[in-house]
Amino acid sequence: MASKSLVAKIFDPLVKFMAPRYQAAVGKELKKYGLRYEDLYDPMYDLDVEETLRRLPQDVVDARNQRLRRGADMSLKHSALPKDLQEKQTPFAEYMDDTLELVRLEAQERAELSTGKPYERSIP
């Protein structure tokens, strides 16, 4: 217990100092390509993200796909958005956080009840 509080006393100020700078650096990179942080969630890696995308309105999913296509295109061309468009970008605006939290709570409830996720089932 004492060692944990000692480590926390040492590293908490460092984390508080570095976290905003890191977030600003990530935001700057996302703005270059017109992406949002939640666009980077991979539905192939996390089935909860896939289910969240299924539950979101179609226009939100289409906007996400368009941002991902634009970002991939700009990355392949080694270019960035013009500065005036970069200023309009909101890289940390959340659009799937509430739905993702709901899906994860449902998954936790299913785990407690020892039932599988309906979107995880497969035919043997």
Side-chain angles (χ1 to χ4, degrees):
M1 269 303 224
S3 64
K4 185 177 180 181
S5 64
L6 177 64
V7 172
K9 283 183 183 179
I10 293 172
F11 285 107
D12 278 350
L14 179 64
V15 169
K16 287 180 182 175
F17 176 76
M18 293 299 294
R21 286 156 183 78
Y22 178 72
Q23 185 178 17
V26 169
K28 183 178 176 183
E29 289 298 311
L30 290 173
K31 282 183 178 184
K32 273 199 226 176
Y33 300 108
L35 294 171
R36 291 186 180 172
Y37 186 76
E38 290 180 345
D39 292 340
L40 304 178
Y41 294 168
D42 188 4
M44 300 294 286
Y45 177 73
D46 188 357
L47 292 175
D48 292 340
V49 173
E50 183 179 3
E51 178 64 18
T52 300
L53 290 172
R54 216 173 308 172
R55 293 183 186 188
L56 287 174
Q58 190 61 41
D59 61 327
V60 174
V61 175
D62 290 343
R64 175 184 190 268
N65 291 336
Q66 183 63 34
R67 285 190 302 271
L68 287 170
R69 284 189 193 111
R70 178 180 56 200
D73 183 51
M74 299 192 91
S75 176
L76 288 171
K77 292 179 180 177
H78 299 286
S79 64
L81 284 176
K83 295 290 182 188
D84 59 329
L85 287 179
Q86 285 184 29
E87 292 171 2
K88 294 178 182 178
Q89 300 302 312
T90 54
F92 297 106
E94 298 173 347
Y95 63 94
M96 73 163 57
D97 203 32
D98 297 333
T99 309
L100 183 59
E101 183 180 346
L102 179 66
V103 168
R104 288 190 173 150
L105 286 173
E106 289 173 1
Q108 180 183 358
E109 182 180 355
R110 283 191 182 92
E112 291 170 359
L113 295 172
S114 300
T115 60
K117 299 176 186 174
Y119 47 91
E120 232 180 20
R121 296 183 184 141
S122 61
I123 298 174

